[in-house]
Amino acid sequence: MPRAARLVQLTVLCLAASVAMPACGNSPEAGTERAATGGLGDRDVVVGNLGAKIDEYLTGLTPDRFAGSVLVARKGQVLLNKGYGMAIRSARIPNSSESVIVIGSITKQFTAAGILKLEMQGTLSTDDTLPMYFEQVPDDKQGITLHQLLTHTAGLIDYTGDWDADGDFEIAPRDETIQEALDAPLVAAPGTEFHYSNSSYSVLAAIIEKVSGQSYEEYLSENIFKPAGMNTTGYRMPDWDSHVVAHYYAEDEDLGGFLERPYPQWNLLGNGGILTTTGDLYRYHLALEGEEILSAAAKEKFYRPFLDDYAYGWSIEQTDHGLLIQHSGGGSFGSSDSALFRRYVEAEVVIVVLGHQAYDGQSMTRQVTSEVANIVFTDQ
């Protein structure tokens, strides 16, 4: 059996089991209560010896190597949800579990969920082609489908902005930005190769607006975030004044936060830049275990891997610890991955690492995530 097909089979079986059994050893009532609350409070959480081990490791990285927040859950129990380092150095405000941090390309899975939600509502199909939504589609892109945009197989260019720290904040109106992406030469024939494309997800965000009659953020807030209990997730709509929005740091330079910039622009909308907390991403995970936001049929599409084992806004991988569904995100300030969201389906382990500090253009987030996973899976 081909690798992609084997991953599809494993994904469907594992996810079907996770929906049928909300949590090993817990009653349905306990699972319902946990889904409603996320098992989270308003304070930092460190539970048991395993939580303490992870906390000791992370504490040893601050203040010089890592700043951000981390959540680890196993078998439905949050073992750690805590902030490390400073959220805003100049004001001496430390990170906490409630720190609001940008998640970069993890945003893509919300765009994909929005498209699938519209399909559930009967207003579009992932088999639809671009001319159904845009008037000036070049001949070589007439057959591109929403499915190809979702799986990075449409052949569209990666990005329409400048590749520098401020590229995501260039003034970029929707229709002009989308047309620029459509007019650019294809990097491959549609449907033939995997080429990661931020522009593809901005096109999808524009389709969400055209179909729903709402802004991209409004539609996601109403149909994805609020039903999942994610009250601290978005671009501009949440009440950010009641939360600490972390600044991004490169070496000792304070690059500020997103809210002080012309944000969001269409170089970023749909493909990156959403702000959230570790707790809200865990609530999203819990909602996806049930059918609060997506049906079983929609989730089968959501997690089905295609070329390069990429699904709809997720990377799918078979690991030594079972099936892993994950995505990473950059910081929109020219740095490497600063956020990681990992869901080990069979092991029932969730790891969320949101960072906002880089040295030499590199974030510690990927290393931190791998080491935290090592600690979790060593402690069996």
Side-chain angles (χ1 to χ4, degrees):
M1 181 182 296
R3 175 180 172 81
R6 185 168 65 252
L7 283 175
V8 169
Q9 186 181 57
L10 285 167
T11 303
V12 172
L13 288 172
C14 291
L15 290 169
S18 71
V19 171
M21 298 182 291
C24 293
N26 286 338
S27 67
E29 291 79 8
T32 300
E33 179 180 358
R34 190 181 68 257
T37 64
L40 302 165
D42 295 329
R43 297 182 179 179
D44 287 357
V45 173
V46 179
V47 175
N49 290 333
L50 181 53
K53 287 181 183 178
I54 300 168
D55 181 49
E56 181 180 11
Y57 161 68
L58 293 168
T59 300
L61 298 178
T62 57
D64 297 326
R65 301 175 65 195
F66 176 74
S69 55
V70 178
L71 180 144
V72 181
R74 185 170 69 177
K75 298 188 183 300
Q77 180 183 21
V78 175
L79 303 175
L80 179 136
N81 189 26
K82 185 177 175 182
Y84 298 88
M86 288 290 167
I88 304 176
R89 295 179 188 174
S90 60
R92 303 300 299 166
I93 298 175
N95 277 309
S96 73
S97 59
E98 295 296 303
S99 292
V100 176
I101 301 173
V102 67
I103 58 171
S105 286
I106 295 174
T107 298
K108 289 180 174 65
Q109 63 193 248
F110 297 135
T111 303
I115 290 291
L116 288 171
K117 191 73 172 183
L118 286 168
E119 187 170 51
M120 287 171 57
Q121 294 165 346
T123 55
L124 58 69
S125 167
T126 54
D127 293 326
D128 289 347
T129 56
L130 290 181
M132 299 175 66
Y133 302 100
F134 305 100
E135 293 181 0
Q136 299 178 16
V137 179
D139 291 343
D140 60 346
K141 302 177 184 70
Q142 292 272 324
I144 289 176
T145 65
L146 274 59
H147 166 78
Q148 290 168 345
L149 295 172
L150 287 160
T151 56
H152 298 296
T153 59
L156 294 189
I157 60 170
D158 184 14
Y159 187 59
T160 59
D162 291 330
W163 287 106
D164 60 28
D166 292 318
D168 286 338
F169 308 108
E170 297 172 5
I171 301 302
R174 186 190 76 183
D175 292 347
E176 290 88 334
T177 304
I178 300 307
Q179 194 62 49
E180 183 178 349
L182 296 181
D183 288 342
L186 287 169
V187 298
T192 63
E193 299 177 12
F194 177 92
H195 288 279
Y196 194 85
S197 171
N198 285 291
S199 293
S200 288
Y201 270 77
S202 290
V203 172
L204 289 164
I207 291 171
I208 288 174
E209 292 198 345
K210 286 172 175 283
V211 172
S212 70
Q214 297 176 281
S215 75
Y216 168 78
E217 185 177 8
E218 287 171 341
Y219 183 81
L220 290 189
S221 178
E222 182 179 314
N223 291 275
I224 307 296
F225 301 152
K226 288 182 180 178
M230 302 167 68
N231 297 319
T232 318
T233 300
Y235 287 110
R236 290 286 184 177
M237 290 182 65
D239 179 14
W240 297 128
D241 288 341
S242 60
H243 297 86
V244 175
V245 180
H247 286 200
Y248 200 89
Y249 293 92
E251 313 292 341
D252 294 326
E253 182 182 3
D254 184 345
L255 298 176
F258 277 61
L259 301 181
E260 295 80 33
R261 294 169 177 264
Y263 154 89
Q265 295 293 319
W266 276 90
N267 283 332
L268 191 64
L269 264 158
N271 70 69
I274 277 181
L275 298 164
T276 191
T277 64
T278 50
D280 265 14
L281 286 181
Y282 187 62
R283 293 181 182 95
Y284 178 58
H285 158 77
L286 291 174
L288 287 173
E289 286 194 317
E291 297 191 23
E292 287 92 344
I293 53 179
L294 292 179
S295 67
K299 287 187 291 183
E300 196 278 331
K301 279 190 169 184
F302 201 30
Y303 300 126
R304 179 182 288 271
F306 290 89
L307 298 183
D308 277 30
D309 295 331
Y310 196 91
Y312 285 7
W314 296 98
S315 291
I316 312 296
E317 181 181 350
Q318 187 62 29
T319 74
D320 292 340
H321 311 297
L323 190 70
L324 171 61
I325 300 173
Q326 66 175 336
H327 211 287
S328 61
S332 288
F333 290 100
S335 73
S336 63
D337 292 337
S338 58
L340 267 169
F341 184 15
R342 288 186 177 178
R343 303 165 67 204
Y344 293 90
V345 178
E346 292 158 283
E348 297 181 76
V349 168
V350 178
I351 300 174
V352 182
V353 179
L354 307 183
H356 57 93
Q357 178 174 292
Y359 293 94
D360 296 324
Q362 300 295 315
S363 167
M364 281 279 296
T365 298
R366 190 168 290 277
Q367 179 179 334
V368 165
T369 305
S370 295
E371 184 57 34
V372 168
N374 287 338
I375 296 171
V376 171
F377 289 113
T378 299
D379 188 271
Q380 298 292 338

